[in-house]
Amino acid sequence: MSAVVERDPQLEPGAGPVGLHATEVDIAERRAWHTNGFLGVVVMLVLIGGSIALFVQADSSGDDALAAVGAVAMLLGVIAATSLTIVQPGTTQVVQFFGRYVGTVRRPGLLWLAPLTTHRRVSVRVRNFETGHLKVNDATGNPVEIAAIVVWQVSDTAKATFSVENYQGFIETQSEAAVRHVAGAYPYDAADDAESLRGSTDQISLELAHEVAARVVAAGLEILEVRISHLAYAPEIAQAMLQRQQAAAVVAARSRIVEGAVGMVQMALDQLSREGIVDLDEERKAAMVSNLLVVLCGDSRATPVVNTGTLYQ
């Protein structure tokens, strides 16, 4: 009686991190408070202008209270000035309040943010890059060179800023890993009905896009498209593979030629027999078939020989 061995679910591929429990930055993008920047400019000018007027009045009257109020007004004006920012189209501002994530501003233009906050610009424009020419063994063990173009953009600015150290380097590394993984699962070339890197480009590109997207979702990045830009055998086997492809093409062409020649010979014999032009025995039919196949399947032009005697001389 054989024993049934139960596998630990944690040992299955993709079950989670190996070793210590990973510390995940649980954060998601949300909208930060902001208002029209021109209102902030007006408030700043009023505060700074009022502080200057208080300073002048305090200097003429010698009132220290007015000077203190003027200093506070000047400080508030400076804070209002530092809270102004310009958001260009295609960019955002990630706002923090003493290290705590407050929200993200996506509205373009001159804006007035919450006081005493810091902000960091994050681009949400569509970007692309090309992976290096990676040398990978395909499913049959042949070394191939492959590269892909990845089109992407930042979809969650909070994750892109705080979940990973450098999202640009993160997506480049993960894209190369995905290309290696997908390229190793398919042969470079296969029969017409089999999937291959060369023959199933659209399907491979779609699988690459899903593979890269699954790897970079933790960084708040969105994959728009992945396309193979370079695919070739490695230089050390390129010549041998070229000869194999040429041989396969020659065999396929010869098969098609022989198939057509046999059909033509059959048609010729049937027509001669049907119209009663000549009556050939089996030996002469075989000789005629041999001669016709040589003429139809030969590489060089046939040289005709005129027989002035009988068929048997």
Side-chain angles (χ1 to χ4, degrees):
M1 182 177 180
S2 60
V4 178
V5 180
E6 296 184 358
R7 300 185 62 182
D8 189 351
Q10 294 184 353
L11 299 181
E12 295 293 334
V18 178
L20 298 177
H21 294 290
T23 303
E24 181 181 358
V25 180
D26 187 12
I27 195 170
E29 180 181 321
R30 57 178 179 268
R31 184 175 179 272
W33 180 89
H34 61 276
T35 188
N36 195 311
F38 293 101
L39 176 61
V41 171
V42 172
V43 173
M44 176 195 67
L45 294 177
V46 170
L47 290 173
I48 294 178
S51 65
I52 294 175
L54 290 175
F55 283 141
V56 172
Q57 186 176 357
D59 183 61
S60 60
S61 63
D63 190 351
D64 295 337
L66 290 177
V69 174
V72 172
M74 178 63 72
L75 178 61
L76 294 177
V78 172
I79 293 175
T82 57
S83 300
L84 295 172
T85 186
I86 297 177
V87 180
Q88 299 178 357
T91 63
T92 63
Q93 292 287 345
V94 178
V95 184
Q96 292 177 262
F97 183 75
F98 292 100
R100 179 176 175 270
Y101 174 64
V102 175
T104 300
V105 178
R106 288 180 174 265
R107 175 184 171 186
L110 178 62
L111 302 175
W112 188 22
L113 306 181
L116 301 178
T117 56
T118 58
H119 35 88
R120 174 183 175 183
R121 187 179 71 89
V122 176
S123 174
V124 292
R125 297 187 179 101
V126 176
R127 286 178 271 185
N128 70 89
F129 69 93
E130 184 178 11
T131 63
H133 289 193
L134 309 175
K135 184 179 290 187
V136 186
N137 289 338
D138 66 357
T140 58
N142 296 320
V144 298
E145 288 185 350
I146 186 172
I149 296 177
V150 181
V151 184
W152 62 284
Q153 68 177 155
V154 176
S155 61
D156 191 314
T157 57
K159 289 184 180 294
T161 304
F162 304 108
S163 294
V164 293
E165 185 68 25
N166 179 8
Y167 62 85
Q168 178 76 36
F170 182 78
I171 189 175
E172 292 178 359
T173 303
Q174 295 300 324
S175 297
E176 292 187 358
V179 170
R180 290 183 182 275
H181 181 262
V182 173
Y186 294 91
Y188 176 87
D189 205 354
D192 295 338
D193 56 346
E195 298 176 349
S196 64
L197 296 175
R198 189 175 69 89
S200 308
T201 306
D202 293 338
Q203 180 178 348
I204 301 300
S205 299
L206 182 61
E207 185 172 344
L208 272 174
H210 286 288
E211 179 84 13
V212 177
R215 292 172 179 265
V216 301
V217 66
L221 308 179
E222 182 179 1
I223 303 301
L224 303 181
E225 184 183 21
V226 178
R227 285 288 177 184
I228 296 177
S229 60
H230 173 78
L231 180 63
Y233 281 112
E236 57 267 24
I237 67 166
Q239 187 63 30
M241 290 302 174
L242 178 61
Q243 292 177 355
R244 189 182 74 172
Q245 291 177 355
Q246 290 175 345
V250 170
V251 171
R254 288 294 182 185
S255 300
R256 183 63 62 86
I257 291 174
V258 170
E259 182 182 353
V262 170
M264 294 174 66
V265 171
Q266 181 67 38
M267 181 179 63
L269 292 176
D270 291 343
Q271 187 172 357
L272 288 173
S273 176
R274 183 173 61 253
E275 297 182 3
I277 297 176
V278 63
D279 187 14
L280 300 175
D281 57 13
E282 295 301 324
E283 182 181 355
R284 289 305 161 184
K285 284 184 180 181
M288 184 178 180
V289 169
S290 176
N291 293 334
L292 287 175
L293 288 177
V294 170
V295 172
L296 295 174
C297 299
D299 288 333
S300 59
R301 278 181 109 175
T303 303
V305 177
V306 179
N307 186 4
T308 59
T310 65
L311 292 173
Y312 298 95
Q313 294 180 355

